[in-house]
Amino acid sequence: RLVSDWSSDVCSSDLLPPRTICHEKGVEITHYYRSGDHGPAHLHVEGGGPSTKIGQAGRPIEGSAELSATQNEVIQGNKSAIRKAVDQIQRRFRFENE
């Protein structure tokens, strides 16, 4: 279940996806960029297995735990929302660091 729809307007530097990208099957995928999370752009995966961080392709970033089967299933079902969210975070990050 997609928590919220959001615009991909690249002209607005203030626009970020909602904090929770999806929440299903006990797995929650979120970002913490409004509270000062660090780059590179990633999302946090909690529940359904070990806590981990994923990049735009839905794979764990370097140094993060591997995905459980449940986490992977939720990620595969929400890949479009994940890609959009990480892309928007990357754009915001680039804008702030120019």
Side-chain angles (χ1 to χ4, degrees):
R1 161 174 85 78
L2 188 60
V3 172
S4 166
D5 193 18
W6 51 276
S7 171
S8 61
D9 179 6
V10 297
C11 296
S12 174
S13 65
D14 292 332
L15 197 61
L16 277 173
R19 179 180 166 161
T20 300
I21 308 306
C22 72
H23 187 249
E24 61 185 59
K25 298 182 181 182
V27 177
E28 185 173 41
I29 301 174
T30 58
H31 74 84
Y32 301 123
Y33 281 88
R34 285 187 179 91
S35 57
D37 205 356
H38 58 84
H42 62 275
L43 301 175
H44 297 258
V45 180
E46 304 285 336
S51 295
T52 191
K53 299 173 188 174
I54 60 171
Q56 191 167 21
R59 292 188 297 271
I61 62 173
E62 188 174 331
S64 295
E66 290 299 314
L67 299 169
S68 71
T70 303
Q71 290 170 331
N72 193 48
E73 182 180 339
V74 171
I75 289 168
Q76 295 306 312
N78 291 281
K79 218 162 202 179
S80 176
I82 289 167
R83 286 185 180 136
K84 284 182 182 181
V86 175
D87 180 61
Q88 191 64 35
I89 292 166
Q90 286 174 334
R91 289 171 192 264
R92 168 80 178 258
F93 208 69
R94 274 187 236 127
F95 179 83
E96 289 177 349
N97 293 303
E98 285 183 347

